[in-house]
């Protein structure tokens, strides 16, 4: 899959925010990289709660890949991260 590119109109307060928790910041950076690489399966694997069933995680991945609004949902999710 092609990398996802998000255009920016310049830095904003939101774009410059970082957490003070090193472990959370590392997770956010990992999710951001997976999003940029358009690695939806890798993103879901790292994003979903640990207690989510494999079937539910697979369903979430399917929603982000094959649902009619999957591309828009994916773009919005990665942009929020």
């Amino acid at each position: 899959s092609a990398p996802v590119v998000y255009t920016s109109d310049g830095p904003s307060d939101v774009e410059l925010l970082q957490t003070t928790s090193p472990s959370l910041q590392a997770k956010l950076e990992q999710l951001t990289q997976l999003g940029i690489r358009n690695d939806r399966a890798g993103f879901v694997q790292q994003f979903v709660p640990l207690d989510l069933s494999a079937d539910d995680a697979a369903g979430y991945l399917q929603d982000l890949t094959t649902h009619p609004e999957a591309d828009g949902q994916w773009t919005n999710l990665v942009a929020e991260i």
Side-chain angles (χ1 to χ4, degrees):
S1 296
V4 177
V5 178
Y6 298 96
T7 58
S8 174
D9 57 358
S12 70
D13 291 342
V14 173
E15 289 170 337
L16 298 176
L17 288 178
Q18 288 193 341
T19 180
T20 58
S21 166
S23 60
L24 178 56
Q25 189 63 44
K27 177 57 91 169
L28 291 172
E29 289 172 10
Q30 177 189 38
L31 291 170
T32 298
Q33 288 305 310
L34 290 166
I36 289 170
R37 291 195 307 262
N38 204 22
D39 182 353
R40 296 179 197 206
F43 184 96
V44 168
Q45 183 179 18
Q46 295 300 316
F47 182 72
V48 298
L50 297 175
D51 62 350
L52 190 69
S53 74
D55 287 344
D56 286 343
Y60 184 55
L61 176 58
Q62 186 173 9
D63 284 349
L64 288 176
T65 54
T66 62
H67 189 273
E69 296 178 7
D71 288 338
Q73 290 176 338
W74 172 246
T75 300
N76 291 337
L77 178 60
V78 173
E80 288 296 318
I81 295 296

